Amino acid sequence: MNEIEAAVFRVLPRQVDATLAAALRQWLPGKSWSQIRRLISARRIMLNGNVCMDPSRRLRLTDVVKILPHSAAPPPREKDVRVRFFDEHVVVVEKPAGMTSTRHFEERGWPRRRRQLQPTLDEILPRILAKIEKRHRKGLPPPVRAVHRLDRETSGLMVFARTETAERHLMQQFRKHTTERRYLAIAHGDVAAQTIVTNLVRDRGDGRRGSTKLGDVGKRAVTHVRPLERLGQYTLVECRLETGRTHQIRIHLAERGHPLCGEKVYNQPLFGQPIADTSGAPRLALHAAELGFEHPITGERMRFEMPLPDDLVQFIRRLRAS
């Protein structure tokens, strides 16, 4: 299948609700159904920035389909998830990049076989805990309860609740912003030390989340940024969250003219042209390096740190050498 070159396609009105395989046959005239299926199974198709291995996926007008020049890396597996702490109330884990934290609402009705193609962290974690605790119960292990999330491409520390009481207490801490969260990121340009304070809205005007200058709408978001190392045209930064809004770090740095390396959503100003990313980042260069919270039952203050994973360590080394 290497004779098929990399390409990007946007769904046409007449292709809405067509399957991914059918659209690819239209875009690649002369290729057989079996060749199209092999292309998809080889992990060479991305749909809206995510690898798609479902030839029957129905397309929408806003979808963007990309053919990769080579097969994408396989998704993380159970063995790639490291449990840092657990008891009967909470579990703290290191989430690998490429794994979704929880199943999106519209995906919860998918058949089991389709969900198993790319299992989510909250689906894998009960099986891991069952093995660690050496339980031999019949049926499925008890589910864990998500109290916060990390983007699929973001690596780092997460905490899950194991009981309703723990879930309630942890979610209250996240709502009141009493948790400690420190991220490491590699961003474009020379990033200065600063505290960014804006109101974030779901749609800034082009379908993307962003900041608004209207004082009576949106949610207040505060990010404390500290540069750690200049890497040529890029900067390794530390970001501490005073609030924890969706995509907060990505939005705040991008709006200051410093989109993260590997950014595919917030890489362009409102109604502007995308900012070219020639960094060669292996994925979104964002890592949740520190997590602190109060144990929901004992009240003990807990704090965990996780070093940068190998893919970002190697990325930084390449930037230093360039």
Side-chain angles (χ1 to χ4, degrees), residues 186 188 234 260-263 276-283 315 318-319:
I186 300 103
H188 286 73
Y234 312 95
L260 300 189
C261 295
E263 179 64 76
D277 182 6
T278 59
S279 66
R283 42 102 170 177
F315 176 50
R318 291 198 302 271
L319 293 179

Side-chain angles (χ1 to χ4, degrees), residues 10-49:
R10 294 187 177 275
V11 175
L12 301 173
R14 60 182 172 80
Q15 295 172 316
V16 171
D17 209 36
T19 65
L20 174 64
L24 284 169
R25 279 212 77 192
Q26 295 176 15
W27 290 322
L28 301 173
K31 302 301 179 184
S32 66
W33 284 108
S34 60
Q35 287 177 306
I36 295 298
R37 284 192 291 269
R38 285 200 301 272
L39 184 69
I40 296 171
S41 63
R43 302 183 59 79
R44 287 190 58 192
I45 301 299
M46 295 191 78
L47 179 63
N48 302 327

